[in-house]
């Protein structure tokens, strides 16, 4: 049997179950595994699993499923560890239906293993009642949940209006992230996000963050990636991979937390704009020994438990609301509106130029050096 495995999110990896399940499924046939989503990549690296779980491409889960469909495997497994059985099952429903939209009729069984090890964990055979699902249910002590049960219990009561989306499994005082941008904070255990003309205009069960909405811009609410709480819960020791860097001093510019930070891993230095962008990107780039110069204004929404930063990184904290203005001036003067610059030879030279840019707009600031 040729088995495709799509691994989603850091929790299934940090828990150890991704590797356990891959090893278990290997008893049934030849297994190929790849990541679906982006936040699991650091977990794969920290667990030294990149030779087992393919993380080379940035793919949403439905696209990872489609790759295995195109490869004509015999069965596809989706491994996930949601915050609750509700969020996990709703996630699987949406992923499977996005996958169907891309391929049309599907004749390859897709089986989700959700929250293994938890009392409310489950196995969901999305389109076929395979014998292997029954066997795994017994081996893992997980209940089998049928697709119609997921629909009846969690989907059909959602508002059919496409510009409203109910987010399941939230708790009060959690960050609300849409496509990698923090747009608000929950104040309830129920959350509905409302959009009009492809712009989020309101939320029920939380408070919006206008600055985050400005950064987000237009969004397709039906396909947007919405997360609440911490992006990664486990306390980890990050694994550092010191890849060879280019001979020239290469600076890159990052002003959007939703971008693929991994494409900056061959940089000598990355300039980041915004508190959350700096926190997330510096944490990821720590794994590749890449320092950052961050432009922040103290408006931080904690989205990871520990934010690691490489030695010699520099964090500028400027007056509230000035981080984006300074970021755009840096992009024009240092990068000439591009994303890469080779015009400097070391970090202190870049620091001097940024100080000059900040002083030109009469903005107060303080500098934190990472030693």
């Amino acid at each position: 049997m040729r088995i495709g495995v799509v691994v989603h999110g850091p929790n299934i990896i940090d828990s150890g179950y991704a590797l356990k399940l891959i090893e278990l499924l290997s008893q049934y046939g030849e297994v190929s595994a790849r990541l679906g989503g982006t936040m699991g990549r650091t977990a794969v690296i920290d667990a030294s699993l990149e030779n087992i779980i393919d993380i080379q491409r940035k793919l949403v889960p439905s696209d990872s499923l489609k790759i295995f469909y195109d490869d004509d495997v015999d069965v596809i497994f989706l491994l996930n560890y949601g915050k609750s059985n509700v969020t996990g099952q709703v996630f699987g429903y949406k992923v499977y239906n996005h996958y169907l939209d891309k391929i049309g009729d599907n004749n390859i069984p897709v089986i989700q293993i959700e929250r293994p090890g938890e009392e409310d964990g489950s196995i969901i055979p999305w389109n076929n009642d395979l014998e292997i699902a029954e066997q795994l249910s017994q081996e893992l002590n997980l209940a089998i949940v049928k697709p119609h049960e997921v629909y009846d219990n969690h989907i059909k009561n959602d508002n059919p209006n496409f510009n409203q989306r109910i987010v399941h499994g939230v708790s009060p005082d959690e960050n609300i992230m849409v496509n990698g941008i923090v747009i608000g904070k929950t104040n309830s255990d129920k959350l509905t996000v409302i959009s009009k003309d492809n712009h989020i205009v309101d939320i029920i069960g939380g408070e919006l963050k206008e600055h985050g909405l400005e950064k987000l811009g237009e969004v397709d609410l039906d396909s947007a990636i919405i997360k609440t709480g911490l992006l990664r819960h486990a306390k980890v020791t990050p694994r550092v991979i010191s890849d060879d860097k280019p001979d020239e001093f290469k600076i890159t510019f990052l002003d959007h937390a939703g971008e693929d930070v991994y494409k900056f891993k061959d940089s000598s230095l990355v300039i980041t704009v915004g508190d959350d962008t700096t926190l997330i990107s510096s944490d990821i780039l720590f794994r590749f020994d890449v320092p950052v110069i961050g432009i922040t204004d103290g408006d931080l929404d904690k989205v990871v438990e520990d934010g690691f930063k490489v030695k010699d990184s520099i964090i500028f904290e400027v007056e509230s609301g000035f981080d984006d203005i300074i970021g755009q001036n840096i992009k024009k003067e240092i990068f000439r509106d591009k994303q890469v610059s080779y015009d400097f030879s070391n970090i202190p030279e870049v620091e001097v130029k940024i100080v000059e840019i900040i002083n030109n707009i009469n903005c107060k600031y303080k500098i934190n050096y990472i030693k």
Side-chain angles (χ1 to χ4, degrees):
M1 183 182 289
R2 297 180 63 224
I3 302 170
V5 175
V6 176
V7 181
H8 176 260
N11 294 336
I12 190 75
I13 300 161
D14 290 335
S15 68
Y17 271 100
L19 181 58
K20 289 178 184 177
L21 292 171
I22 289 170
E23 291 174 343
L24 175 61
L25 292 173
S26 295
Q27 299 175 17
Y28 292 86
E30 178 186 349
V31 174
S32 298
R34 68 177 59 253
L35 194 69
T38 57
M39 288 311 300
R41 289 165 94 175
T42 52
V44 170
I45 290 169
D46 290 341
S48 299
L49 294 177
E50 62 266 36
N51 292 326
I52 297 174
I53 302 172
D54 186 350
I55 59 172
Q56 293 302 310
R57 298 171 63 184
K58 180 185 179 183
L59 299 167
V60 297
S62 56
D63 283 338
S64 291
L65 290 174
K66 184 178 183 299
I67 287 177
F68 285 126
Y69 174 85
D70 293 338
D71 287 346
D72 198 28
V73 299
D74 297 305
V75 60
I76 304 172
F77 282 88
L78 174 62
L79 311 184
N80 186 60
Y81 209 116
K83 289 169 60 181
S84 70
N85 65 329
V86 176
T87 59
Q89 292 173 17
V90 171
F91 161 79
Y93 177 89
K94 291 182 181 296
V95 168
Y96 183 69
N97 281 276
H98 285 317
Y99 163 70
L100 287 183
D101 289 341
K102 294 171 182 178
I103 66 167
D105 291 335
N106 175 42
N107 58 0
I108 296 178
V110 176
I111 300 172
Q112 180 177 348
I113 301 180
E114 178 60 43
R115 288 171 59 82
E118 302 288 347
E119 290 185 2
D120 61 0
S122 58
I123 293 179
I124 311 166
W126 282 109
N127 64 324
N128 201 313
D129 292 326
L130 280 187
E131 181 181 343
I132 189 174
E134 295 284 352
Q135 293 174 350
L136 290 171
S137 170
Q138 295 177 17
E139 287 194 57
L140 296 170
N141 194 28
L142 297 175
I144 289 183
V145 175
K146 298 295 181 67
H148 72 84
E149 295 179 83
V150 177
Y151 180 82
D152 290 344
N153 293 332
H154 309 309
I155 304 297
K156 73 177 182 180
N157 291 327
D158 284 2
N159 192 314
N161 189 340
F162 285 113
N163 65 353
Q164 290 196 35
R165 180 163 159 187
I166 295 175
V167 182
H168 298 271
V170 305
S171 299
D173 203 34
E174 291 185 329
N175 291 316
I176 305 163
M177 295 188 73
V178 178
N179 293 345
I181 302 294
V182 177
I183 61 111
K185 184 162 294 222
T186 61
N187 56 23
S188 170
D189 59 0
K190 296 180 180 179
L191 177 66
T192 302
V193 182
I194 302 169
S195 72
K196 181 179 180 181
D197 298 328
N198 286 331
H199 286 84
I200 293 175
V201 294
D202 197 7
I203 53 177
I204 300 171
E207 296 181 5
L208 285 174
K209 178 182 177 182
E210 292 299 329
H211 188 49
L213 293 178
E214 292 171 5
K215 282 189 174 183
L216 179 65
E218 289 195 9
V219 63
D220 178 357
L221 193 58
D222 189 47
S223 62
I225 298 172
I226 302 179
K227 299 178 182 291
T228 62
L230 295 173
L231 295 177
R232 190 175 182 187
H233 297 267
K235 291 278 190 179
V236 298
T237 300
R239 174 175 165 234
V240 179
I241 304 171
S242 295
D243 290 336
D244 291 335
K245 299 293 188 295
D247 293 333
E248 293 182 276
F249 190 76
K250 177 183 177 182
I251 315 170
T252 49
F253 182 78
L254 173 65
D255 66 347
H256 193 298
E259 286 191 63
D260 185 2
V261 179
Y262 291 85
K263 70 183 181 182
F264 299 91
K265 66 182 182 179
D266 66 342
S267 304
S268 307
L269 172 71
V270 179
I271 297 179
T272 60
V273 179
D275 294 73
D276 300 314
T277 299
T278 297
L279 180 66
I280 294 171
S281 58
S282 65
D283 185 72
I284 292 172
L285 293 170
F286 184 90
R287 273 81 179 171
F288 304 100
D289 198 27
V290 178
V292 304
I293 292 183
I295 311 299
T296 71
D297 67 355
D299 185 21
L300 176 65
D301 296 290
K302 194 174 184 181
V303 290
V304 292
E305 189 64 48
D306 295 306
F308 297 96
K309 296 179 179 66
V310 171
K311 178 184 175 183
D312 296 329
S313 293
I314 301 172
I315 308 299
F316 284 85
E317 186 173 335
V318 302
E319 293 180 67
S320 179
F322 276 86
D323 54 344
D324 285 338
I325 297 170
I326 293 167
Q328 290 309 306
N329 287 350
I330 288 173
K331 190 173 184 179
K332 289 177 182 177
E333 297 188 33
I334 293 180
F335 294 91
R336 300 182 182 88
D337 286 327
K338 297 181 180 178
Q339 200 164 46
V340 180
S341 172
Y342 293 95
D343 292 344
F344 298 82
S345 58
N346 55 52
I347 292 176
E349 288 183 9
V350 182
E351 178 191 354
V352 169
K353 181 60 179 177
I354 291 177
V355 168
E356 176 187 314
I357 290 171
I358 296 174
N359 285 335
N360 284 340
I361 62 172
N362 296 317
C363 175
K364 294 179 182 178
Y365 65 92
K366 66 179 180 181
I367 305 177
N368 298 308
Y369 297 96
I370 308 302
K371 302 294 187 183

